[in-house]
Amino acid sequence: MRERKGSYSDELYDKIWKTKGARFNAYERLRRRQKRSFYATGILSAYLIIINLLQPFGLLTVPDDSSIISFISVSLSIILLVFVTIENSAEYNLKGNNFHNCAKDLGRVFNDLHSLIERKVTDIKEYDIISNKYSEILDKYDNHSPIDYEVHKTKHKNDFKLNWFQKNWILLRANYLIDLHYFAFIIVPPILFAIWIIKP
């Protein structure tokens, strides 16, 4: 069993503060992911249109195998269809808004707790009420991702004693690495196409 650090009210204060921060970060992460999903889908669609226009406009001829462009076009269409289906089912906007509402609910409970502590209220029942409200809020919403709590640490690096490397590694993962597939969808297709065009 984990050793308690501080009083019951201090532990409760710490839990709500951390969860509130993590839920706000989850909202920001999903809002950012929604934008990246939108851009990746739009750019993939543009690639598909451009490939279909290459031959009619005489910008590309493939004498050895005239069906290669059709194959690329159909393949990209299938990839785009699967990608859009998966992204739409993820409902990033809805989940992000839920996390935002959760964080706001926790913020109100956190303020109530802060008021109790500032007034030096000693009645344990008052703190039990706050604890129950905290549990009820958590029951209403999905849990956040571990990376959201990690980002919370970077915003309070002195409290968590993070060094420069630890802080920036967390931010690199949170801002880029967890969404690396979106960047791949945007960057990789033109690179592969360019390699195919300039091949000897």
Side-chain angles (χ1 to χ4, degrees), residues 12-188:
L12 187 58
Y13 185 96
D14 190 58
K15 281 196 302 185
I16 299 176
W17 175 66
K18 289 176 179 177
T19 309
K20 176 174 67 73
R23 297 297 164 95
F24 271 123
N25 292 331
Y27 161 68
E28 292 172 357
R29 173 177 56 83
L30 290 175
R31 186 176 62 172
R32 186 167 58 245
R33 178 167 286 184
Q34 174 65 28
K35 289 181 180 178
R36 289 173 176 173
S37 174
F38 176 78
Y39 290 140
T41 301
I43 292 173
L44 277 174
S45 300
Y47 290 157
L48 182 60
I49 294 171
I50 291 169
I51 286 175
N52 285 323
L53 293 176
L54 288 176
Q55 281 187 308
F57 280 88
L59 299 174
L60 180 67
T61 56
V62 190
D64 296 333
D65 187 359
S66 59
S67 65
I68 189 73
I69 295 297
S70 296
F71 172 77
I72 293 174
S73 177
V74 171
S75 299
L76 196 56
S77 297
I78 294 171
I79 292 171
L80 180 61
L81 177 62
V82 172
F83 179 71
V84 170
T85 302
I86 293 172
E87 291 300 291
N88 285 341
S89 66
E91 298 181 322
Y92 296 129
N93 271 339
L94 176 61
K95 291 179 180 178
N97 287 333
N98 285 339
F99 279 127
H100 193 246
N101 291 334
C102 179
K104 289 191 295 184
D105 290 344
L106 289 172
R108 286 187 282 269
V109 173
F110 181 76
N111 291 337
D112 291 341
L113 175 60
H114 186 76
S115 175
L116 291 179
I117 294 173
E118 285 294 307
R119 290 186 284 116
K120 296 181 171 58
V121 175
T122 57
D123 186 357
I124 195 67
K125 292 181 180 179
E126 294 290 335
Y127 294 100
D128 284 339
I129 291 172
I130 297 294
S131 181
N132 290 334
K133 286 182 179 179
Y134 170 67
S135 298
E136 289 171 2
I137 291 170
L138 294 189
D139 289 340
K140 287 167 53 180
Y141 300 99
D142 292 333
N143 197 10
H144 56 264
S145 172
I147 194 64
D148 301 317
Y149 175 59
E150 294 295 311
V151 172
H152 174 72
K153 290 181 179 180
T154 67
K155 295 179 178 179
H156 308 276
K157 61 179 182 178
N158 292 330
D159 293 309
F160 295 96
K161 297 180 174 58
L162 296 180
N163 58 39
W164 180 90
F165 177 79
Q166 290 171 320
K167 175 186 175 182
N168 285 282
W169 172 242
I170 292 171
L171 292 177
L172 178 64
R173 286 162 50 216
N175 293 324
Y176 300 103
L177 296 185
I178 61 173
D179 288 338
L180 194 60
H181 57 291
Y182 294 121
F183 300 108
F185 274 125
I186 293 171
I187 296 172
V188 171

